[in-house]
Amino acid sequence: MPELLPVPAVKGGAVEHWVEEAIHRLDHKKYEITVFSRPSGLESVNANIRFQGIPWTVMESLFLKWKNGMSWKNPLRYLAKFQNVLSYGNRVAASIKNFDIVYVHNEPNLFLLMQKKAGQYFVLHMHNDHLSSRLFRPFYRKMLAKVDEVICVSEYIKRRAILAFPEFKHKFSVILNATDPEFFQPAAQLEVNAQPMPYIKPGAKHILYVGRLTEVKGVEVLIKAFGHLYKQDPSLQLIIAGTSFFADAEKTPYVQHLADLAAPYKDGIQFTGFLPHDQLKYLYAATDVLAFPSIWNEPFGLVILESMAAGTCVVASDVGAVAEIIKHQENGLLVEVNNHIALANAIQEVLGNTEKREAMNKRAREIVLEKFNWGRLIAELDMILGKAA
């Protein structure tokens, strides 16, 4: 039950895509599933999955717009977040009384609004490092006393949570994220050359960024790195796919700042806006390297997996859980955070050595097939949900 974007994930969102992928892979003979989220326009009922839309109120929409216009460092964002969670959560809480398992993604405070019925099993799945926040720690402690299991998407998130709440160590587990290597495939399998590719220029080398256009994602660092490379090779192309917050996002002052920063390289930088997965998969496969320049401690990094599945290696900041996915010089390169020269040099190392790049591309996809597949994830999830029986 995410609280900002809809499931099915028609407007994007890493958590929402995770939920959509997982619920269709769970054993429908064992589980009858109801998903609460914002309306997707695709709400329907089938034998095992029901989508229940929680509409936006006028006040929620106003607070969200206010929040999205602020810098991520502005503490007033918490006020807008609190209003949204409280309003949304109260409506969800009134509807969960008859469910055996209540499974919340990424918003711990929703559990504070819920009365736990005898026999119910509460699962919290943390895709971000919210639990380490000192501001909300008293609330999270009450929540953790009520929750039966806390799933973390990385060892990094688990370590941070246990440092904050050592008394609840026994409740924390890790299920690493996954992607679909049958959907994200290398160029040859996807027949990329047979597809219309508006962002790909024949004969040029292409760097791809996929993600939100916010300060913490380090896009400004990437543009500076690209400027350094562009002076050496004006045929180089940087494709920036994303918006400030997935589909329908407003153009924020930071997005305009990025456009201004990219203006001197207008022949080399393309902003695509939001792209759905069925378009992104071709870009992953057609580009030469994915850049992941985050300047915050990433809790995981799903776009890294998607690029790896497509057989495209990654140059990424060595932050948070990224090193749990990328093995330096094996399936990609790790660089010092917020250092555009280091990022530029690593990208050049990949682009300038075809043999090395192809070896890392091959290994990247192999690692997804070996470790980051949905079969493994669903088996681990089923073991945890089985505790509710």
Side-chain angles (χ1 to χ4, degrees), residues 179-227:
T179 195
D180 185 356
E182 295 302 313
F183 183 83
F184 296 105
Q185 295 187 340
Q189 285 93 312
L190 282 180
E191 298 182 349
V192 163
N193 293 332
Q195 302 296 324
M197 300 292 288
Y199 305 109
I200 299 298
K201 294 188 177 181
K205 294 286 180 65
H206 294 82
I207 306 160
L208 176 64
Y209 169 85
V210 176
R212 291 182 290 117
L213 305 187
T214 61
E215 295 98 321
V216 298
K217 290 296 186 178
V219 190
E220 182 171 348
V221 180
L222 175 58
I223 292 174
K224 290 177 180 178
F226 179 79

Short mmCIF file of all heavy atoms in Angstrom, two decimals, residues 179-227:
data_model
loop_
_atom_site.label_atom_id
_atom_site.label_comp_id
_atom_site.label_asym_id
_atom_site.label_seq_id
_atom_site.Cartn_x
_atom_site.Cartn_y
_atom_site.Cartn_z
N THR A 179 14.89 -7.73 -10.75
CA THR A 179 14.34 -7.20 -12.00
C THR A 179 14.07 -8.37 -12.93
O THR A 179 14.42 -9.51 -12.62
CB THR A 179 15.29 -6.16 -12.63
OG1 THR A 179 14.59 -5.43 -13.64
CG2 THR A 179 16.51 -6.83 -13.26
N ASP A 180 13.46 -8.08 -14.06
CA ASP A 180 13.05 -9.13 -14.99
C ASP A 180 13.98 -9.17 -16.20
O ASP A 180 13.86 -8.33 -17.10
CB ASP A 180 11.60 -8.87 -15.44
CG ASP A 180 11.05 -9.99 -16.32
OD1 ASP A 180 11.81 -10.92 -16.64
OD2 ASP A 180 9.86 -9.92 -16.68
N PRO A 181 14.91 -10.13 -16.25
CA PRO A 181 15.84 -10.20 -17.39
C PRO A 181 15.19 -10.67 -18.67
O PRO A 181 15.84 -10.64 -19.73
CB PRO A 181 16.90 -11.19 -16.90
CG PRO A 181 16.20 -12.04 -15.90
CD PRO A 181 15.19 -11.16 -15.24
N GLU A 182 13.93 -11.11 -18.61
CA GLU A 182 13.20 -11.42 -19.84
C GLU A 182 12.60 -10.15 -20.45
O GLU A 182 12.32 -10.11 -21.65
CB GLU A 182 12.09 -12.44 -19.55
CG GLU A 182 12.61 -13.79 -19.10
CD GLU A 182 13.53 -14.41 -20.13
OE1 GLU A 182 13.17 -14.42 -21.32
OE2 GLU A 182 14.63 -14.86 -19.75
N PHE A 183 12.40 -9.14 -19.61
CA PHE A 183 11.88 -7.85 -20.11
C PHE A 183 13.03 -6.93 -20.50
O PHE A 183 13.05 -6.37 -21.60
CB PHE A 183 11.01 -7.20 -19.04
CG PHE A 183 10.37 -5.91 -19.46
CD1 PHE A 183 9.19 -5.91 -20.19
CD2 PHE A 183 10.96 -4.69 -19.15
CE1 PHE A 183 8.60 -4.72 -20.60
CE2 PHE A 183 10.39 -3.49 -19.56
CZ PHE A 183 9.20 -3.51 -20.28
N PHE A 184 13.99 -6.77 -19.60
CA PHE A 184 15.18 -5.96 -19.89
C PHE A 184 16.24 -6.89 -20.47
O PHE A 184 16.80 -7.72 -19.76
CB PHE A 184 15.70 -5.28 -18.62
CG PHE A 184 14.73 -4.28 -18.04
CD1 PHE A 184 14.02 -4.60 -16.90
CD2 PHE A 184 14.53 -3.05 -18.64
CE1 PHE A 184 13.13 -3.69 -16.35
CE2 PHE A 184 13.64 -2.13 -18.10
CZ PHE A 184 12.93 -2.46 -16.96
N GLN A 185 16.50 -6.76 -21.75
CA GLN A 185 17.41 -7.66 -22.45
C GLN A 185 18.45 -6.87 -23.24
O GLN A 185 18.24 -5.70 -23.57
CB GLN A 185 16.63 -8.56 -23.41
CG GLN A 185 15.67 -9.51 -22.74
CD GLN A 185 15.06 -10.50 -23.73
OE1 GLN A 185 15.06 -10.28 -24.94
NE2 GLN A 185 14.54 -11.60 -23.22
N PRO A 186 19.57 -7.51 -23.58
CA PRO A 186 20.58 -6.86 -24.41
C PRO A 186 20.05 -6.52 -25.80
O PRO A 186 19.02 -7.05 -26.24
CB PRO A 186 21.70 -7.90 -24.48
CG PRO A 186 21.51 -8.74 -23.27
CD PRO A 186 20.02 -8.81 -23.07
N ALA A 187 20.77 -5.65 -26.48
CA ALA A 187 20.32 -5.11 -27.76
C ALA A 187 20.00 -6.20 -28.78
O ALA A 187 19.01 -6.11 -29.51
CB ALA A 187 21.38 -4.16 -28.31
N ALA A 188 20.84 -7.23 -28.85
CA ALA A 188 20.63 -8.26 -29.86
C ALA A 188 19.30 -8.97 -29.68
O ALA A 188 18.57 -9.21 -30.64
CB ALA A 188 21.78 -9.28 -29.82
N GLN A 189 18.96 -9.32 -28.42
CA GLN A 189 17.70 -10.00 -28.16
C GLN A 189 16.49 -9.10 -28.40
O GLN A 189 15.43 -9.55 -28.84
CB GLN A 189 17.65 -10.54 -26.73
CG GLN A 189 18.51 -11.77 -26.49
CD GLN A 189 19.89 -11.41 -25.98
OE1 GLN A 189 20.56 -10.54 -26.53
NE2 GLN A 189 20.34 -12.10 -24.94
N LEU A 190 16.64 -7.81 -28.09
CA LEU A 190 15.53 -6.87 -28.27
C LEU A 190 15.40 -6.38 -29.71
O LEU A 190 14.43 -5.70 -30.04
CB LEU A 190 15.70 -5.65 -27.36
CG LEU A 190 15.35 -5.82 -25.89
CD1 LEU A 190 15.59 -4.51 -25.16
CD2 LEU A 190 13.91 -6.26 -25.70
N GLU A 191 16.37 -6.69 -30.52
CA GLU A 191 16.39 -6.20 -31.91
C GLU A 191 16.27 -4.67 -31.93
O GLU A 191 15.41 -4.08 -32.59
CB GLU A 191 15.27 -6.84 -32.74
CG GLU A 191 15.40 -8.36 -32.85
CD GLU A 191 14.32 -8.98 -33.71
OE1 GLU A 191 13.36 -8.27 -34.04
OE2 GLU A 191 14.45 -10.17 -34.05
N VAL A 192 17.16 -4.05 -31.17
CA VAL A 192 17.13 -2.59 -31.01
C VAL A 192 17.20 -1.87 -32.35
O VAL A 192 16.52 -0.86 -32.57
CB VAL A 192 18.29 -2.14 -30.08
CG1 VAL A 192 18.54 -0.65 -30.23
CG2 VAL A 192 17.96 -2.47 -28.63
N ASN A 193 18.00 -2.38 -33.26
CA ASN A 193 18.17 -1.69 -34.55
C ASN A 193 16.88 -1.65 -35.37
O ASN A 193 16.75 -0.84 -36.28
CB ASN A 193 19.27 -2.37 -35.36
CG ASN A 193 20.63 -2.20 -34.72
OD1 ASN A 193 20.87 -1.22 -34.01
ND2 ASN A 193 21.53 -3.15 -34.95
N ALA A 194 15.92 -2.51 -35.02
CA ALA A 194 14.64 -2.52 -35.74
C ALA A 194 13.62 -1.57 -35.13
O ALA A 194 12.52 -1.42 -35.66
CB ALA A 194 14.07 -3.94 -35.78
N GLN A 195 13.99 -0.92 -34.00
CA GLN A 195 13.06 -0.04 -33.28
C GLN A 195 13.34 1.43 -33.62
O GLN A 195 14.48 1.82 -33.82
CB GLN A 195 13.20 -0.25 -31.77
CG GLN A 195 12.95 -1.67 -31.30
CD GLN A 195 11.53 -2.11 -31.55
OE1 GLN A 195 10.59 -1.33 -31.43
NE2 GLN A 195 11.37 -3.38 -31.90
N PRO A 196 12.30 2.26 -33.65
CA PRO A 196 12.52 3.71 -33.77
C PRO A 196 13.18 4.22 -32.49
O PRO A 196 12.65 4.01 -31.41
CB PRO A 196 11.11 4.28 -33.95
CG PRO A 196 10.19 3.24 -33.37
CD PRO A 196 10.85 1.92 -33.59
N MET A 197 14.34 4.83 -32.60
CA MET A 197 15.11 5.26 -31.44
C MET A 197 15.39 6.76 -31.55
O MET A 197 16.46 7.17 -32.02
CB MET A 197 16.41 4.47 -31.34
CG MET A 197 16.23 2.97 -31.20
SD MET A 197 15.52 2.50 -29.61
CE MET A 197 16.89 2.83 -28.54
N PRO A 198 14.45 7.60 -31.13
CA PRO A 198 14.60 9.04 -31.33
C PRO A 198 15.76 9.67 -30.58
O PRO A 198 16.21 10.76 -30.93
CB PRO A 198 13.27 9.60 -30.83
CG PRO A 198 12.72 8.55 -29.91
CD PRO A 198 13.18 7.26 -30.46
N TYR A 199 16.27 9.02 -29.53
CA TYR A 199 17.32 9.63 -28.73
C TYR A 199 18.72 9.10 -29.06
O TYR A 199 19.70 9.54 -28.47
CB TYR A 199 17.03 9.41 -27.23
CG TYR A 199 15.67 9.92 -26.84
CD1 TYR A 199 14.64 9.04 -26.52
CD2 TYR A 199 15.39 11.28 -26.81
CE1 TYR A 199 13.38 9.50 -26.17
CE2 TYR A 199 14.14 11.76 -26.47
CZ TYR A 199 13.13 10.86 -26.14
OH TYR A 199 11.88 11.32 -25.81
N ILE A 200 18.79 8.15 -29.98
CA ILE A 200 20.07 7.53 -30.32
C ILE A 200 20.58 8.09 -31.64
O ILE A 200 19.88 8.06 -32.65
CB ILE A 200 19.93 6.00 -30.42
CG1 ILE A 200 19.47 5.42 -29.08
CG2 ILE A 200 21.23 5.36 -30.87
CD1 ILE A 200 20.44 5.64 -27.93
N LYS A 201 21.80 8.61 -31.63
CA LYS A 201 22.42 9.16 -32.84
C LYS A 201 23.44 8.16 -33.38
O LYS A 201 24.38 7.79 -32.67
CB LYS A 201 23.09 10.50 -32.53
CG LYS A 201 22.10 11.58 -32.14
CD LYS A 201 22.76 12.94 -32.03
CE LYS A 201 21.72 14.02 -31.72
NZ LYS A 201 22.32 15.37 -31.64
N PRO A 202 23.24 7.70 -34.60
CA PRO A 202 24.14 6.69 -35.18
C PRO A 202 25.60 7.12 -35.13
O PRO A 202 25.93 8.28 -35.42
CB PRO A 202 23.64 6.57 -36.63
CG PRO A 202 22.22 7.02 -36.57
CD PRO A 202 22.16 8.09 -35.53
N GLY A 203 26.45 6.19 -34.72
CA GLY A 203 27.88 6.45 -34.71
C GLY A 203 28.40 7.12 -33.45
O GLY A 203 29.62 7.20 -33.25
N ALA A 204 27.50 7.60 -32.58
CA ALA A 204 27.93 8.30 -31.37
C ALA A 204 27.95 7.34 -30.18
O ALA A 204 27.28 6.31 -30.17
CB ALA A 204 27.00 9.47 -31.07
N LYS A 205 28.74 7.68 -29.16
CA LYS A 205 28.71 6.99 -27.88
C LYS A 205 27.65 7.67 -27.00
O LYS A 205 27.56 8.90 -26.97
CB LYS A 205 30.08 7.03 -27.20
CG LYS A 205 31.16 6.25 -27.97
CD LYS A 205 30.96 4.76 -27.81
CE LYS A 205 32.04 3.98 -28.58
NZ LYS A 205 33.39 4.21 -28.01
N HIS A 206 26.89 6.84 -26.25
CA HIS A 206 25.77 7.38 -25.48
C HIS A 206 25.89 7.03 -24.00
O HIS A 206 26.12 5.86 -23.64
CB HIS A 206 24.45 6.83 -26.01
CG HIS A 206 24.11 7.29 -27.38
ND1 HIS A 206 24.63 6.70 -28.51
CD2 HIS A 206 23.30 8.30 -27.83
CE1 HIS A 206 24.16 7.32 -29.59
NE2 HIS A 206 23.36 8.29 -29.19
N ILE A 207 25.72 8.03 -23.16
CA ILE A 207 25.66 7.88 -21.70
C ILE A 207 24.19 8.07 -21.31
O ILE A 207 23.54 9.01 -21.78
CB ILE A 207 26.52 8.93 -20.99
CG1 ILE A 207 27.95 8.91 -21.52
CG2 ILE A 207 26.47 8.75 -19.48
CD1 ILE A 207 28.72 10.19 -21.23
N LEU A 208 23.68 7.22 -20.46
CA LEU A 208 22.28 7.29 -20.06
C LEU A 208 22.15 7.54 -18.57
O LEU A 208 22.86 6.94 -17.76
CB LEU A 208 21.57 5.97 -20.41
CG LEU A 208 20.09 5.83 -19.98
CD1 LEU A 208 19.21 6.85 -20.69
CD2 LEU A 208 19.60 4.41 -20.25
N TYR A 209 21.24 8.45 -18.21
CA TYR A 209 20.81 8.63 -16.82
C TYR A 209 19.33 8.35 -16.77
O TYR A 209 18.56 8.87 -17.59
CB TYR A 209 21.09 10.04 -16.30
CG TYR A 209 20.39 10.29 -14.97
CD1 TYR A 209 21.01 9.90 -13.78
CD2 TYR A 209 19.12 10.85 -14.91
CE1 TYR A 209 20.36 10.08 -12.56
CE2 TYR A 209 18.47 11.03 -13.70
CZ TYR A 209 19.09 10.64 -12.52
OH TYR A 209 18.44 10.81 -11.32
N VAL A 210 18.89 7.55 -15.79
CA VAL A 210 17.46 7.28 -15.57
C VAL A 210 17.16 7.53 -14.10
O VAL A 210 17.82 6.95 -13.22
CB VAL A 210 17.09 5.82 -15.94
CG1 VAL A 210 15.63 5.55 -15.62
CG2 VAL A 210 17.37 5.56 -17.41
N GLY A 211 16.18 8.37 -13.82
CA GLY A 211 15.81 8.60 -12.42
C GLY A 211 15.16 9.95 -12.23
O GLY A 211 14.92 10.70 -13.19
N ARG A 212 14.88 10.24 -10.97
CA ARG A 212 14.28 11.53 -10.63
C ARG A 212 15.29 12.65 -10.82
O ARG A 212 16.50 12.46 -10.62
CB ARG A 212 13.77 11.52 -9.19
CG ARG A 212 12.57 10.62 -8.96
CD ARG A 212 12.07 10.70 -7.52
NE ARG A 212 13.00 10.06 -6.60
CZ ARG A 212 13.64 10.68 -5.62
NH1 ARG A 212 13.50 11.99 -5.47
NH2 ARG A 212 14.46 10.03 -4.82
N LEU A 213 14.80 13.82 -11.20
CA LEU A 213 15.65 14.99 -11.35
C LEU A 213 15.55 15.83 -10.09
O LEU A 213 14.83 16.83 -10.02
CB LEU A 213 15.24 15.80 -12.60
CG LEU A 213 15.19 15.01 -13.92
CD1 LEU A 213 14.93 15.96 -15.08
CD2 LEU A 213 16.47 14.21 -14.14
N THR A 214 16.27 15.38 -9.07
CA THR A 214 16.31 16.06 -7.78
C THR A 214 17.76 16.17 -7.34
O THR A 214 18.64 15.46 -7.85
CB THR A 214 15.52 15.29 -6.70
OG1 THR A 214 16.09 14.00 -6.53
CG2 THR A 214 14.05 15.15 -7.11
N GLU A 215 18.00 17.05 -6.37
CA GLU A 215 19.38 17.30 -5.94
C GLU A 215 20.10 16.04 -5.51
O GLU A 215 21.28 15.85 -5.84
CB GLU A 215 19.40 18.32 -4.79
CG GLU A 215 18.92 19.71 -5.16
CD GLU A 215 17.46 19.95 -4.79
OE1 GLU A 215 16.66 19.00 -4.94
OE2 GLU A 215 17.14 21.07 -4.35
N VAL A 216 19.42 15.17 -4.76
CA VAL A 216 20.11 14.01 -4.18
C VAL A 216 20.57 13.02 -5.24
O VAL A 216 21.45 12.19 -4.97
CB VAL A 216 19.21 13.29 -3.16
CG1 VAL A 216 18.86 14.20 -2.00
CG2 VAL A 216 17.96 12.71 -3.80
N LYS A 217 20.01 13.08 -6.43
CA LYS A 217 20.37 12.12 -7.47
C LYS A 217 21.63 12.51 -8.22
O LYS A 217 22.12 11.74 -9.06
CB LYS A 217 19.20 11.96 -8.45
CG LYS A 217 18.01 11.23 -7.85
CD LYS A 217 18.34 9.80 -7.48
CE LYS A 217 17.14 9.02 -7.02
NZ LYS A 217 17.46 7.60 -6.71
N GLY A 218 22.16 13.70 -7.96
CA GLY A 218 23.46 14.06 -8.51
C GLY A 218 23.50 14.34 -10.00
O GLY A 218 24.57 14.25 -10.61
N VAL A 219 22.37 14.70 -10.58
CA VAL A 219 22.35 14.95 -12.03
C VAL A 219 23.24 16.14 -12.39
O VAL A 219 23.87 16.17 -13.45
CB VAL A 219 20.90 15.18 -12.52
CG1 VAL A 219 20.85 15.20 -14.04
CG2 VAL A 219 19.96 14.11 -11.98
N GLU A 220 23.31 17.11 -11.50
CA GLU A 220 24.17 18.27 -11.72
C GLU A 220 25.64 17.83 -11.84
O GLU A 220 26.39 18.33 -12.70
CB GLU A 220 24.01 19.25 -10.56
CG GLU A 220 24.81 20.52 -10.70
CD GLU A 220 24.44 21.54 -9.63
OE1 GLU A 220 23.43 21.35 -8.93
OE2 GLU A 220 25.19 22.52 -9.50
N VAL A 221 26.03 16.87 -11.01
CA VAL A 221 27.40 16.34 -11.06
C VAL A 221 27.64 15.66 -12.41
O VAL A 221 28.71 15.81 -13.02
CB VAL A 221 27.64 15.34 -9.91
CG1 VAL A 221 29.06 14.77 -9.97
CG2 VAL A 221 27.38 15.99 -8.56
N LEU A 222 26.64 14.92 -12.89
CA LEU A 222 26.77 14.23 -14.17
C LEU A 222 26.91 15.22 -15.32
O LEU A 222 27.73 15.00 -16.23
CB LEU A 222 25.56 13.33 -14.39
CG LEU A 222 25.48 12.61 -15.74
CD1 LEU A 222 26.72 11.75 -15.97
CD2 LEU A 222 24.21 11.76 -15.82
N ILE A 223 26.13 16.28 -15.31
CA ILE A 223 26.21 17.27 -16.40
C ILE A 223 27.59 17.92 -16.41
O ILE A 223 28.19 18.15 -17.48
CB ILE A 223 25.09 18.30 -16.28
CG1 ILE A 223 23.73 17.64 -16.54
CG2 ILE A 223 25.31 19.46 -17.25
CD1 ILE A 223 22.53 18.54 -16.31
N LYS A 224 28.13 18.20 -15.23
CA LYS A 224 29.49 18.76 -15.16
C LYS A 224 30.51 17.76 -15.69
O LYS A 224 31.45 18.13 -16.41
CB LYS A 224 29.81 19.16 -13.72
CG LYS A 224 29.03 20.36 -13.21
CD LYS A 224 29.37 20.65 -11.75
CE LYS A 224 28.58 21.85 -11.24
NZ LYS A 224 28.85 22.12 -9.80
N ALA A 225 30.33 16.49 -15.35
CA ALA A 225 31.23 15.46 -15.85
C ALA A 225 31.13 15.36 -17.37
O ALA A 225 32.15 15.22 -18.07
CB ALA A 225 30.89 14.11 -15.20
N PHE A 226 29.90 15.44 -17.87
CA PHE A 226 29.71 15.37 -19.32
C PHE A 226 30.39 16.55 -20.02
O PHE A 226 31.00 16.38 -21.08
CB PHE A 226 28.21 15.36 -19.66
CG PHE A 226 27.95 15.31 -21.13
CD1 PHE A 226 28.05 14.12 -21.84
CD2 PHE A 226 27.62 16.48 -21.84
CE1 PHE A 226 27.83 14.08 -23.20
CE2 PHE A 226 27.40 16.44 -23.20
CZ PHE A 226 27.50 15.25 -23.89
N GLY A 227 30.28 17.74 -19.42
CA GLY A 227 30.95 18.91 -20.00
C GLY A 227 32.44 18.69 -20.15
O GLY A 227 33.05 19.08 -21.15
#
